[in-house]
Amino acid sequence: MIAIRSCSGIDELEACVQLQIETWGMDASEIIPRKTFLLAQKIGGQVIGAFDPEIAGRMPEGGPESLLGFAMSLPGIKTGECEPRPYLHSHMLAVREGYRNRGLGAQLKLEQRREALARGIRLIEWTFDPLEIKNAFLNVHKLGAIICRYEVNFYGVSSSRLQGGLPTDRLVAEWRLDSPRVEATLGGRPAAARVIQERIPVPASIYEWKASEAGRERAQALQLENRRRFQQAFSQGLAVIGFTLDAEGNGVFELGPLTQAEAGLKSQGT
């Protein structure tokens, strides 16, 4: 049994820092330090970890080696609406190599949702790379997030090996925690009827292209083409409302108009 809970103490927060480095391979200038993880907890954010109790039981005092993954979020305030409202920005989610593709990422997100709703927070947002197929599948298909925004080179130049030297373009996932769409998705119920007007593909070979100098040009060409298509679709009022994955690992973003259930928070309708 994997324990999903808030991280506690300096050692567990430092374990999050080290897993961050292992996952993204960033240089020192981009690393989020332990103090920031601690601050996130103190000001209303989240640092939630996935722990293996069996590993912890073999350590003298539990030991941060039992940390298998973490999710870190920061608090924010939405303005420009009828009235300001709190939300969480989920900045990082990482799972240790060897434990990926086992559903730990989804478990961490679900604990983020549970904890946020317990505090009356009903929206979590995060950014992700439009070329990362597995992330898109989790965010849209499994969790029910919607996407209406595209940010060009959001973080500037990144030393992360996962970025492959490309601009840090990001989609913004909006997880409206108690919306009918999210509750239906998490409950395994059929989604409301949707009208798909645009499909934007991401081939599974993108990972090979990003990892090699020879393929970098093809990866950048795909990024630029998909950037143009996302921006055009969003300017027309469309949103990402679906994501499909075929047997070969190719992904397709599905865009269409938002229904009322998809567009708003359940009891506010905004």
Side-chain angles (χ1 to χ4, degrees):
M1 291 291 293
I2 302 300
I4 308 293
R5 59 169 174 78
S6 292
C7 292
S8 176
I10 297 299
D11 288 345
E12 289 186 357
L13 295 180
E14 182 61 32
C16 292
V17 175
Q18 295 307 313
L19 181 52
Q20 166 196 193
I21 296 170
E22 292 173 21
T23 301
W24 287 282
M26 299 177 292
D27 63 33
S29 66
E30 294 189 75
I31 294 169
I32 303 298
R34 186 185 66 227
K35 287 182 179 179
T36 303
F37 283 84
L38 177 62
L39 181 64
Q41 288 184 317
K42 297 296 185 182
I43 64 174
Q46 301 168 323
V47 184
I48 295 170
F51 296 87
D52 186 333
E54 187 173 327
I55 296 176
R58 298 197 295 266
M59 307 303 296
E61 297 179 1
E65 293 83 357
S66 64
L67 179 78
L68 306 182
F70 75 87
M72 185 263 260
S73 68
L74 299 164
I77 297 291
K78 284 286 181 186
T79 58
E81 304 177 3
C82 296
E83 61 182 50
R85 59 187 172 98
Y87 77 105
L88 292 170
H89 179 86
S90 185
H91 181 54
M92 282 187 168
L93 187 149
V95 174
R96 193 176 300 281
E97 190 173 4
Y99 292 88
R100 295 169 189 164
N101 303 315
R102 300 187 187 184
L104 281 185
Q107 291 182 55
L108 287 165
K109 299 304 291 184
L110 291 175
E111 177 60 15
Q112 282 188 310
R113 176 179 183 264
R114 185 205 65 77
E115 196 277 340
L117 286 173
R119 289 192 280 147
I121 298 172
R122 303 165 65 207
L123 174 66
I124 299 179
E125 292 185 352
W126 61 91
T127 63
F128 71 98
D129 190 336
L131 301 180
E132 288 291 330
I133 294 171
K134 291 180 181 178
N135 288 356
F137 187 74
L138 169 64
N139 297 339
V140 181
H141 182 80
K142 288 190 173 182
L143 299 179
I146 61 171
I147 302 163
C148 308
R149 293 155 54 199
Y150 191 103
E151 300 286 350
V152 176
N153 201 25
F154 185 68
Y155 293 108
V157 176
S158 173
S159 61
S160 169
R161 60 175 173 267
L162 300 183
Q163 194 60 38
L166 299 180
T168 53
D169 287 17
R170 294 293 183 265
L171 291 170
V172 180
E174 299 179 33
W175 203 21
R176 304 179 181 192
L177 303 180
D178 62 351
S179 68
R181 170 187 168 87
V182 169
E183 291 186 342
T185 300
L186 297 181
R189 299 191 297 275
R194 298 171 182 170
V195 177
I196 305 302
Q197 297 183 5
E198 179 80 11
R199 289 179 169 85
I200 301 179
V202 183
S205 51
I206 185 61
Y207 296 108
E208 298 175 13
W209 299 349
K210 289 170 67 177
S212 68
E213 289 294 335
R216 195 71 46 79
E217 189 173 331
R218 296 181 71 180
Q220 187 157 23
L222 177 67
Q223 184 188 58
L224 290 173
E225 172 61 14
N226 282 5
R227 177 196 293 177
R228 180 190 65 79
R229 295 181 64 181
F230 275 118
Q231 289 177 325
Q232 181 178 34
F234 293 156
S235 72
Q236 295 171 348
L238 303 183
V240 175
I241 54 177
F243 188 86
T244 60
L245 192 65
D246 67 19
E248 286 72 43
N250 303 299
V252 178
F253 289 93
E254 298 178 330
L255 295 88
L258 291 175
T259 65
Q260 184 175 0
E262 291 170 326
L265 302 169
K266 182 170 62 176
S267 60
Q268 290 181 339
T270 59

